[in-house]
Amino acid sequence: MKIRRLFSILMAIVVVILAIFAARSIMRPEKFKTVYELRKEANVQNLLAIRSAQAVYKNVHKVYASNIDTLMEFVKNGTVQIEKNVGNFPDTMSEAEAFKLGLIHKEIVTVPAIEKILDIDKKIPAENFKHFQYIPFSNKEMKYQIQVDSLSSKTYTIPVYRIDVSMDELLCNMDKSINPENAGPLTRLWNKIFYNDLESETQYRSQYEPIYMGSLTEANTAGSWE
């Protein structure tokens, strides 16, 4: 009886272990995909903000910022001169008529760079411009690196730039974000069993691509996700 009971216990343990491995084989790739998509979207939002900031920076300085901190300083403290219509005229009158009558006139005014930047793409919230220099989930330890160059011919020179986000950067601190220290003991045990060391799973990594924005070989600021 004792042997039969011991055998039953061992079989139950084997079944549980096999069930865990079967569940891991299903859950791990799905978890990896979820984390990758979340990280990708967070980086895309930063890159879109950077693109708008670079567009205004180039209008002012005639080149793109080659350093992400320089670009952030421009966003926070830079200024831009813009042409504005100054004056008032009734709704029944066209702008052209108002100019002829001298009711309005054009004037060059200086405004904070962020005002012009926010006009580039109104879909990007102002919040996205506060910390776009940092790669998401890196605990502000990793910053985007900007490569700059120029395309030249006999008649023109066009500045270009490119930002690459590697898979290591996309997935930085994955294990910590999946299994945070402030999680409860059961949650931490669950995550340890099913998702431990998910960041280094090369078979999952090979199914996804790093992302980039811009080009050094053509005048193109599109992102790889577009």
Side-chain angles (χ1 to χ4, degrees):
M1 290 294 292
K2 289 184 179 180
I3 294 176
R4 181 176 297 177
R5 183 177 299 174
L6 180 60
F7 180 76
S8 297
I9 293 172
L10 290 175
M11 286 299 295
I13 293 173
V14 170
V15 169
V16 169
I17 293 174
L18 291 175
I20 289 174
F21 275 104
R24 273 171 56 95
S25 67
I26 297 171
M27 296 169 66
R28 285 174 70 82
E30 286 301 315
K31 187 68 170 182
F32 190 97
K33 178 181 178 181
T34 299
V35 172
Y36 171 83
E37 294 295 342
L38 174 66
R39 300 297 186 85
K40 177 182 176 181
E41 180 57 26
N43 277 277
V44 165
Q45 292 304 310
N46 273 1
L47 293 175
L48 289 174
I50 290 172
R51 181 163 67 187
S52 294
Q54 282 281 46
V56 177
Y57 186 95
K58 175 176 171 288
N59 285 340
V60 174
H61 298 283
K62 310 308 177 188
V63 295
Y64 288 116
S66 60
N67 183 282
I68 195 67
D69 289 329
T70 300
L71 187 62
M72 176 54 73
E73 175 64 20
F74 175 73
V75 171
K76 289 182 176 179
N77 301 310
T79 58
V80 179
Q81 289 189 327
I82 63 172
E83 190 177 68
K84 291 183 68 173
N85 293 337
V86 178
N88 297 289
F89 61 95
D91 294 337
T92 56
M93 184 182 296
S94 69
E95 187 176 279
E97 291 172 329
F99 270 113
K100 287 182 180 179
L101 294 174
L103 297 178
I104 59 174
H105 65 279
K106 291 189 179 297
E107 189 174 298
I108 302 298
V109 298
T110 300
V111 300
I114 187 61
E115 287 188 17
K116 184 64 176 177
I117 292 168
L118 290 172
D119 282 338
I120 296 292
D121 187 345
K122 292 182 171 59
K123 294 180 181 178
I124 304 176
E127 184 71 22
N128 289 18
F129 293 92
K130 292 183 177 180
H131 304 291
F132 65 50
Q133 72 270 45
Y134 297 110
I135 292 175
F137 302 95
S138 69
N139 297 325
K140 296 185 177 182
E141 294 176 357
M142 302 169 67
K143 296 181 180 180
Y144 294 102
Q145 301 299 312
I146 306 175
Q147 304 174 71
V148 296
D149 206 339
S150 60
L151 306 177
S152 300
S153 73
K154 293 181 179 180
T155 57
Y156 66 83
T157 298
I158 300 177
V160 292
Y161 74 94
R162 177 177 168 121
I163 299 175
D164 287 277
V165 186
S166 68
M167 287 297 290
D168 285 339
E169 290 169 328
L170 275 170
L171 302 176
C172 61
N173 294 322
M174 180 191 278
D175 286 343
K176 289 182 180 179
S177 60
I178 290 176
N179 202 15
E181 294 181 358
N182 60 354
L186 292 179
T187 300
R188 289 179 60 80
L189 177 61
W190 174 277
N191 290 331
K192 192 77 172 177
I193 292 172
F194 290 101
Y195 304 125
N196 185 49
D197 205 26
L198 187 61
E199 181 178 336
S200 60
E201 291 280 14
T202 55
Q203 70 268 35
Y204 304 148
R205 279 178 172 242
S206 64
Q207 300 175 36
Y208 301 93
E209 297 288 341
I211 63 175
Y212 64 86
M213 183 178 71
S215 172
L216 298 180
T217 58
E218 58 181 334
N220 185 358
T221 62
S224 57
W225 62 91
E226 294 176 307

Short mmCIF file of all heavy atoms in Angstrom, two decimals, residues 1 30-31 51 61 76 79 98 102 113 116-117 142 149 159 162 179 189 200 210:
data_model
loop_
_atom_site.label_atom_id
_atom_site.label_comp_id
_atom_site.label_asym_id
_atom_site.label_seq_id
_atom_site.Cartn_x
_atom_site.Cartn_y
_atom_site.Cartn_z
N MET A 1 0.84 -1.21 0.00
CA MET A 1 0.00 0.00 0.00
C MET A 1 0.86 1.25 0.00
O MET A 1 0.58 2.21 -0.73
CB MET A 1 -0.93 0.00 1.22
CG MET A 1 -2.04 -1.04 1.16
SD MET A 1 -3.22 -0.73 -0.17
CE MET A 1 -3.98 0.76 0.41
N GLU A 30 3.54 33.79 -26.29
CA GLU A 30 2.49 34.81 -26.27
C GLU A 30 2.89 35.98 -25.37
O GLU A 30 2.62 37.14 -25.69
CB GLU A 30 1.18 34.19 -25.77
CG GLU A 30 0.50 33.29 -26.78
CD GLU A 30 0.17 34.03 -28.07
OE1 GLU A 30 -0.35 35.17 -27.99
OE2 GLU A 30 0.44 33.49 -29.16
N LYS A 31 3.52 35.66 -24.24
CA LYS A 31 3.99 36.72 -23.35
C LYS A 31 5.07 37.55 -24.02
O LYS A 31 5.08 38.79 -23.91
CB LYS A 31 4.54 36.10 -22.05
CG LYS A 31 4.90 37.12 -20.98
CD LYS A 31 3.66 37.81 -20.44
CE LYS A 31 3.98 38.65 -19.22
NZ LYS A 31 2.78 39.29 -18.65
N ARG A 51 10.84 63.01 -34.10
CA ARG A 51 10.74 63.44 -35.51
C ARG A 51 10.17 64.86 -35.62
O ARG A 51 10.67 65.68 -36.38
CB ARG A 51 9.90 62.45 -36.31
CG ARG A 51 9.77 62.83 -37.78
CD ARG A 51 9.30 61.66 -38.60
NE ARG A 51 7.94 61.26 -38.29
CZ ARG A 51 7.36 60.16 -38.79
NH1 ARG A 51 8.04 59.36 -39.60
NH2 ARG A 51 6.13 59.87 -38.46
N HIS A 61 18.11 75.59 -37.36
CA HIS A 61 19.58 75.44 -37.43
C HIS A 61 20.08 74.93 -38.78
O HIS A 61 21.30 74.84 -38.98
CB HIS A 61 20.05 74.49 -36.32
CG HIS A 61 19.76 74.99 -34.94
ND1 HIS A 61 20.50 75.98 -34.33
CD2 HIS A 61 18.79 74.65 -34.05
CE1 HIS A 61 20.02 76.22 -33.12
NE2 HIS A 61 18.97 75.43 -32.93
N LYS A 76 12.97 72.13 -24.65
CA LYS A 76 12.67 72.75 -23.36
C LYS A 76 12.89 74.26 -23.37
O LYS A 76 12.10 75.01 -22.79
CB LYS A 76 13.51 72.11 -22.26
CG LYS A 76 13.12 70.69 -21.91
CD LYS A 76 13.96 70.16 -20.78
CE LYS A 76 13.51 68.78 -20.35
NZ LYS A 76 14.36 68.24 -19.25
N THR A 79 13.79 78.63 -28.92
CA THR A 79 12.77 79.54 -29.44
C THR A 79 12.76 79.48 -30.96
O THR A 79 13.74 79.08 -31.59
CB THR A 79 13.03 81.00 -28.99
OG1 THR A 79 14.32 81.40 -29.44
CG2 THR A 79 12.93 81.13 -27.49
N ALA A 98 -8.94 92.22 -45.50
CA ALA A 98 -8.46 92.81 -44.26
C ALA A 98 -7.03 93.36 -44.43
O ALA A 98 -6.68 94.42 -43.89
CB ALA A 98 -8.51 91.80 -43.13
N GLY A 102 -5.70 97.28 -44.20
CA GLY A 102 -4.75 97.53 -43.12
C GLY A 102 -5.24 97.11 -41.75
O GLY A 102 -4.69 97.54 -40.73
N ALA A 113 9.96 77.01 -28.72
CA ALA A 113 10.06 75.97 -29.74
C ALA A 113 8.97 74.92 -29.59
O ALA A 113 8.44 74.40 -30.58
CB ALA A 113 11.45 75.32 -29.68
N LYS A 116 5.75 75.46 -31.62
CA LYS A 116 5.85 75.11 -33.03
C LYS A 116 5.91 73.60 -33.22
O LYS A 116 5.31 73.03 -34.14
CB LYS A 116 7.09 75.76 -33.64
CG LYS A 116 7.25 75.54 -35.14
CD LYS A 116 6.13 76.18 -35.93
CE LYS A 116 6.37 76.02 -37.43
NZ LYS A 116 5.26 76.56 -38.23
N ILE A 117 6.62 72.93 -32.33
CA ILE A 117 6.75 71.47 -32.41
C ILE A 117 5.39 70.79 -32.27
O ILE A 117 5.06 69.86 -33.00
CB ILE A 117 7.73 70.95 -31.33
CG1 ILE A 117 9.16 71.43 -31.65
CG2 ILE A 117 7.70 69.43 -31.24
CD1 ILE A 117 10.15 71.24 -30.52
N MET A 142 19.34 54.39 -20.59
CA MET A 142 19.70 54.26 -22.00
C MET A 142 19.02 55.37 -22.79
O MET A 142 17.82 55.61 -22.61
CB MET A 142 19.27 52.89 -22.55
CG MET A 142 19.88 51.72 -21.81
SD MET A 142 19.12 50.12 -22.25
CE MET A 142 19.66 49.98 -23.96
N ASP A 149 24.08 62.77 -41.17
CA ASP A 149 24.92 62.86 -42.36
C ASP A 149 24.26 63.86 -43.30
O ASP A 149 23.28 64.52 -42.93
CB ASP A 149 25.05 61.48 -43.02
CG ASP A 149 26.34 61.35 -43.84
OD1 ASP A 149 26.91 62.40 -44.21
OD2 ASP A 149 26.76 60.22 -44.11
N PRO A 159 20.46 67.54 -45.25
CA PRO A 159 20.80 66.82 -44.02
C PRO A 159 19.88 65.62 -43.82
O PRO A 159 18.70 65.67 -44.17
CB PRO A 159 20.61 67.86 -42.92
CG PRO A 159 19.63 68.83 -43.49
CD PRO A 159 19.85 68.86 -44.97
N ARG A 162 19.26 59.23 -38.75
CA ARG A 162 18.65 57.91 -38.51
C ARG A 162 18.84 57.54 -37.05
O ARG A 162 19.88 57.82 -36.44
CB ARG A 162 19.29 56.84 -39.41
CG ARG A 162 18.75 55.42 -39.16
CD ARG A 162 19.36 54.44 -40.13
NE ARG A 162 19.11 53.07 -39.76
CZ ARG A 162 18.48 52.16 -40.50
NH1 ARG A 162 18.04 52.51 -41.70
NH2 ARG A 162 18.31 50.93 -40.09
N ASN A 179 8.42 40.51 -13.81
CA ASN A 179 8.40 40.02 -12.43
C ASN A 179 8.93 41.10 -11.48
O ASN A 179 10.02 40.97 -10.93
CB ASN A 179 9.26 38.75 -12.32
CG ASN A 179 8.88 37.90 -11.12
OD1 ASN A 179 7.83 38.08 -10.52
ND2 ASN A 179 9.75 36.97 -10.78
N LEU A 189 6.28 33.89 -7.92
CA LEU A 189 6.53 32.46 -8.15
C LEU A 189 5.98 32.05 -9.51
O LEU A 189 6.64 31.34 -10.28
CB LEU A 189 5.90 31.63 -7.04
CG LEU A 189 6.02 30.10 -7.20
CD1 LEU A 189 7.49 29.69 -7.23
CD2 LEU A 189 5.26 29.38 -6.09
N SER A 200 16.03 36.48 -23.03
CA SER A 200 17.14 35.90 -23.79
C SER A 200 16.72 34.76 -24.71
O SER A 200 17.58 34.08 -25.28
CB SER A 200 18.23 35.42 -22.83
OG SER A 200 17.73 34.42 -21.96
N PRO A 210 14.02 44.64 -34.88
CA PRO A 210 14.28 45.94 -34.25
C PRO A 210 13.60 47.03 -35.07
O PRO A 210 13.11 46.76 -36.18
CB PRO A 210 15.81 46.05 -34.29
CG PRO A 210 16.21 45.17 -35.43
CD PRO A 210 15.23 44.04 -35.46
#
